[in-house]
Amino acid sequence: MVAAGEVGPMATTPVLEVEGLVVRYGTRTAVDGLSLSVRQGEIFGLLGPNGAGKTSTLSAIEGLLTPSEGTVHVVGRDAAADPRAARALLGVQLQASSFQAELTLTDLLRLYGGLYGLRVSPAEAGDRLHGAGLGDEAAKRFKQTSGGQQQRFSLLVAMLHDPPLLLLDEPTAGLDPAARRQLWRQIEKARGGGGSIVLTTHSMEEAAAVCDRVAIVDHGVLVALGTPEELIDQHQDDPRVRAAAHGGVTLEDVFIGLTGGEDDV
């Protein structure tokens, strides 16, 4: 990641630029002209109900699919024209990650470091695990760790090569409140080193707590973009949002009002 002193959350040069993104599967349009950008040092939430186009958008950013239209640039690299170069600038944590169950966390960290072209000594592996709150689990086999520990380890692996952009797909899904907050601190630490994070989540509490800005998408279309506070201010008088609110308007009320139903959350 870039040095913390060089950039900040308000830096104007985007680390990710998505312009006019269209993704089609046969006759179905999953993403319909989506444009957004992510600043250096920013935690950016990509929110939407199931089927809104979030996964297709992430797949296009990762270079796993070629858009029907539009472009994706990761730190200036075209994800479609130069997918290997763009992918080298990414760290990706999926909702469910599979690691070799019989290997220890230390062995796994050294193994995946090698896949990134890094030589991770046992001592360095221990330091990295300690920094992620996993120092006491260094000698445990992956299968012996808890769900929260596995998610923190998965994020640590995604950050091994210090990528300027992290993509996190529902990183805290299924975690208890304490484990979720531990992972939030790890995400904030990654941003503190100058990295940028794009995360998807169905938890509006999580989005409001950790994201600098959020984009709400529905049926592949961007319906709202801004800080959580801005979105609440902009939409608190919308009748659809007021109908969803129970007391003061929250980001969850805005999400439900703009995407059309409580069943989607």
Side-chain angles (χ1 to χ4, degrees):
M1 294 180 183
V2 294
E6 294 177 357
V7 295
M10 300 308 294
T12 57
T13 302
V15 71
L16 172 67
E17 293 180 279
V18 177
E19 291 288 342
L21 183 67
V22 177
V23 177
R24 297 190 183 97
Y25 302 100
T27 59
R28 184 175 73 88
T29 300
V31 182
D32 192 3
L34 181 66
S35 295
L36 54 85
S37 65
V38 177
R39 304 162 183 158
Q40 292 179 333
E42 180 174 46
I43 300 177
F44 187 94
L46 185 61
L47 314 180
N50 291 329
K54 303 187 302 297
T55 298
S56 294
T57 299
L58 290 182
S59 295
I61 295 170
E62 294 170 42
L64 299 179
L65 60 80
T66 301
S68 304
E69 300 176 26
T71 59
V72 175
H73 287 89
V74 180
V75 197
R77 300 283 185 150
D78 191 314
D82 198 357
R84 292 184 62 183
R87 203 173 296 139
L89 299 167
L90 297 173
V92 180
Q93 181 194 25
L94 303 178
Q95 184 177 346
S97 299
S98 296
F99 293 97
Q100 292 84 345
E102 297 295 332
L103 294 182
T104 68
L105 297 193
T106 296
D107 290 338
L108 284 169
L109 205 60
R110 298 187 69 199
L111 171 64
Y112 280 86
L115 295 178
Y116 285 124
L118 304 173
R119 292 187 178 182
V120 181
S121 69
E124 183 182 355
D127 289 342
R128 287 178 179 263
L129 288 166
H130 180 76
L134 295 168
D136 293 339
E137 283 69 45
K140 284 186 179 180
R141 296 176 181 178
F142 184 76
K143 69 178 183 180
Q144 296 174 317
T145 56
S146 69
Q149 290 166 347
Q150 291 178 4
Q151 286 293 78
R152 275 186 281 155
F153 180 75
S154 178
L155 179 56
L156 179 60
V157 170
M159 295 165 52
L160 262 178
H161 59 305
D162 291 331
L165 179 62
L166 282 170
L167 302 180
L168 310 181
D169 189 9
E170 298 189 41
T172 61
L175 300 185
D176 63 48
R180 186 169 65 245
R181 287 177 180 259
Q182 286 177 326
L183 199 67
W184 287 359
R185 287 193 290 271
Q186 197 174 350
I187 291 171
E188 186 63 42
K189 185 177 179 180
R191 186 261 289 280
S196 302
I197 297 101
V198 174
L199 67 86
T200 69
T201 179
H202 282 294
S203 169
M204 298 303 108
E205 175 197 7
E206 178 169 78
V210 305
C211 294
D212 299 302
R213 290 188 302 148
V214 298
I216 300 176
V217 297
D218 193 25
H219 296 95
V221 176
L222 181 68
V223 297
L225 174 65
T227 69
E229 295 80 8
E230 288 171 346
L231 296 189
I232 292 170
D233 288 343
Q234 292 168 7
H235 299 282
Q236 61 183 342
D237 295 325
D238 187 315
R240 299 170 296 173
V241 174
R242 295 303 311 172
H246 301 280
V249 171
T250 65
L251 181 62
E252 182 171 292
D253 300 325
V254 174
F255 177 88
I256 292 172
L258 297 183
T259 59
E262 297 189 13
D263 291 340
D264 290 328
V265 176

